[in-house]
Amino acid sequence: MRSVCVVGASLAGLLTARALRAQGYDGRLILVGEEIHRPYDRPPLSKDFLRGVLDDADLALESDGEDLDAEWRLGVAAVGLNAAARRVTLSDGTEVAADGIVIATGASARRLPGTDGLAGVHTLRTLDDARALRHDLANAKRIVVIGGGFIGTEVAATACDLGLDVTLVESGQTPLAGVVGAQMAEAIAGLHERRGVRLLRSARVTALTGEERVDAVRLADGALLPADVVVVGIGASPNIAWLKGSGLLLGDGVLCDEGGAAIRDESGGPARENGGGKGGGPAAGIVAVGDCAAWFDPALGRHDRCEHWTGARQRAGVAAETLLSGGVARPARPRPAYIWSDQFDVKIQFVGRARHADTVVVEEGDPADHSFLAVYRQGERPVAVLGVNQVRLFSRWRRQLETAV
Ligand SMILES: Cc1cc2nc3c(=O)[nH]c(=O)nc-3n(C[C@H](O)[C@H](O)[C@H](O)COP(=O)(O)OP(=O)(O)OC[C@H]3O[C@@H](n4cnc5c(N)ncnc54)[C@H](O)[C@@H]3O)c2cc1C
């Protein structure tokens, strides 16, 4: 392999480029990134960056003096791919042909329809989003956060720390229940409520009001929540629209085998972005990694898209190996998914899958003190662990779960 083009110059793209070099690849390396920024870390955007504790320079993912001997094409998006020819078309009209392609285009925040252009309404995915939100929060008193996922709960916690009046609108009964299960999600919801977040459960947003700038959020029950700033945290969609017609199989992300090799679409029909194609074998010389990629998970028996920092980190080396070995390398069994989140002064860590459990028991500490460890079991077998301000004990459990795989 003499040339590799990495599309998406952020966490997954950078880590895969690094892994390629570490595994001995010495050919041409091109990194294409839509953003003008060098790779930066996103998790602080909803936490210490938003709080004003960190600045742009603190987010850099490259280490000082790091040189991957790569050609950087930043501020240019890939707009098309011919998978068979491994040719990427860029938004500036140029093309890059390479022996290997790494697809690492991540995900984009979902928006509320009809709210584009209304000042004061934010999503949070990029550094530019975070800068704009930080600026707006500095002049705001009341914020409404729509969506109680990780981004929503983190922004709510940060805004609360900043002294704002915070309302968190959750369409389900409890924020984060989809990840940590209903019972433990209540403990996290309790933390928010005790710290002053007004949590509205089972609430549906019907409209944002305001002429040029948002002034309130309207709910289905008629309630009107006044707001100077609204943050929409309703999930993220994989950036795969540019791959329509590429010849790759797309579903909830780029569908890949368990080593990260992208699967060919052999339906021969019109290009599809959201599934419905017919999976062939792996496309030669193309891997996908990070938030845009849905790898086959043998434990689940289906493709699964992992939208977390550690997922990109764990898979970058595997994807590089798959690419360099021409798909011959057999990946180790994937480790259980690990997630962390910092909210207020609390570190939340979770590993495994809550939905596989029949029971969950707090084995250390007390949820009321915001310091506890809960173990989820299927029968006798631990399948997931939640740690809240229990870093050491959690690490032990995490290792135990990983070695059990
Ligand atoms: C605010 C925030 C907080 C987070 N906090 C946590 C946390 O606490 N814990 C945790 O585990 N995870 C967290 N995450 C998730 C974590 O940051 C992501 O899992 C990680 O960034 C995924 O990396 P990626 O490289 O796959 O995708 P991304 O980081 O999304 O990078 C993809 C890059 O590709 C570029 N791109 C997109 N389309 C194209 C194109 N067509 N051509 C060229 N370039 C393109 C994008 O501009 C972007 O720079 C957080 C995410 C956000 C946004």
Side-chain angles (χ1 to χ4, degrees):
M1 188 160 289
R2 297 306 312 151
S3 54
V4 174
C5 178
V6 179
V7 186
S10 186
L11 180 69
L14 176 71
L15 294 179
T16 310
R18 252 186 213 159
L20 286 165
R21 290 293 191 221
Q23 291 175 29
Y25 172 69
D26 62 359
R28 189 175 170 217
L29 185 59
I30 307 123
L31 277 107
V32 176
E34 183 169 19
E35 294 180 77
I36 53 162
H37 310 293
R38 300 288 291 202
Y40 62 88
D41 208 18
R42 285 170 216 272
L45 297 181
S46 49
K47 310 173 187 86
D48 279 351
F49 182 86
L50 199 57
R51 205 174 271 121
V53 175
L54 296 183
D55 256 309
D56 299 18
D58 303 312
L59 304 178
L61 280 172
E62 291 165 282
S63 28
D64 287 345
E66 178 171 15
D67 182 7
L68 286 170
D69 190 17
E71 299 163 38
W72 293 82
R73 305 278 305 267
L74 298 179
V76 189
V79 293
L81 170 72
N82 178 334
R86 289 190 297 275
R87 211 168 44 237
V88 182
T89 308
L90 305 183
S91 54
D92 62 3
T94 60
E95 285 192 338
V96 178
D99 302 331
I101 307 279
V102 177
I103 300 171
T105 44
S108 294
R110 287 200 196 103
R111 297 173 178 280
L112 268 189
T115 61
D116 284 354
L118 191 58
V121 181
H122 297 261
T123 52
L124 181 53
R125 181 78 200 181
T126 67
L127 175 58
D128 295 344
D129 293 341
R131 283 176 179 158
L133 178 58
R134 190 159 96 165
H135 178 265
D136 244 9
L137 288 185
N139 304 305
K141 288 195 166 55
R142 291 166 305 193
I143 175 174
V144 174
V145 180
I146 302 172
F150 279 113
I151 303 287
T153 49
E154 288 175 4
V155 169
T158 303
C160 203
D161 282 349
L162 290 171
L164 275 84
D165 178 285
V166 184
T167 304
L168 177 59
V169 180
E170 164 58 26
S171 60
Q173 176 58 23
T174 321
L176 299 176
V179 182
V180 301
Q183 193 181 334
M184 290 302 124
E186 278 306 328
I188 298 169
L191 166 69
H192 278 260
E193 289 179 322
R194 276 190 288 277
R195 296 291 171 95
V197 173
R198 180 177 170 216
L199 172 61
L200 301 183
R201 299 158 183 264
S202 308
R204 197 166 59 81
V205 171
T206 53
L208 305 190
T209 65
E211 288 297 319
E212 288 176 2
R213 186 175 180 92
V214 70
D215 58 24
V217 174
R218 189 186 300 283
L219 300 182
D221 65 3
L224 205 58
L225 312 171
D228 305 315
V229 170
V230 171
V231 173
V232 179
I234 55 173
S237 315
N239 291 324
I240 54 172
W242 69 282
L243 293 167
K244 239 174 163 174
S246 63
L248 297 182
L249 194 65
L250 306 176
D252 177 32
V254 182
L255 301 191
C256 298
D257 70 10
E258 52 192 282
I263 307 291
R264 288 193 314 271
D265 179 0
E266 296 209 323
S267 61
R272 272 166 269 244
E273 190 188 323
N274 282 313
K278 182 166 172 282
I286 304 183
V287 294
V289 64
D291 283 15
C292 69
W295 287 25
F296 185 77
D297 183 332
L300 296 176
R302 60 172 167 78
H303 289 90
D304 187 42
R305 194 166 64 83
C306 170
E307 273 190 304
H308 299 290
W309 199 94
T310 314
R313 193 182 160 83
Q314 288 172 346
R315 290 174 167 186
V318 181
E321 206 180 336
T322 298
L323 196 64
L324 295 179
S325 71
V328 174
R330 287 324 316 153
R333 258 182 109 71
R335 285 185 263 169
Y338 165 71
I339 304 165
W340 89 89
S341 176
D342 298 312
Q343 304 189 10
F344 302 101
D345 49 358
V346 168
K347 178 167 279 302
I348 300 168
Q349 295 171 288
F350 186 80
V351 64
R353 284 179 200 279
R355 82 180 90 101
H356 291 173
D358 342 293
T359 58
V360 50
V361 174
V362 173
E363 301 212 341
E364 183 71 37
D366 184 347
D369 299 335
H370 315 314
S371 171
F372 66 97
L373 182 116
V375 181
Y376 300 66
R377 289 191 172 82
Q378 188 179 56
E380 295 293 304
R381 190 168 65 94
V383 290
V385 176
L386 170 69
V388 173
N389 273 351
Q390 288 282 347
V391 176
R392 287 179 61 162
L393 190 55
F394 178 86
S395 301
R396 231 179 291 151
W397 270 99
R398 183 180 170 197
R399 273 196 302 277
Q400 202 172 312
L401 241 66
E402 285 178 352
T403 43
V405 166

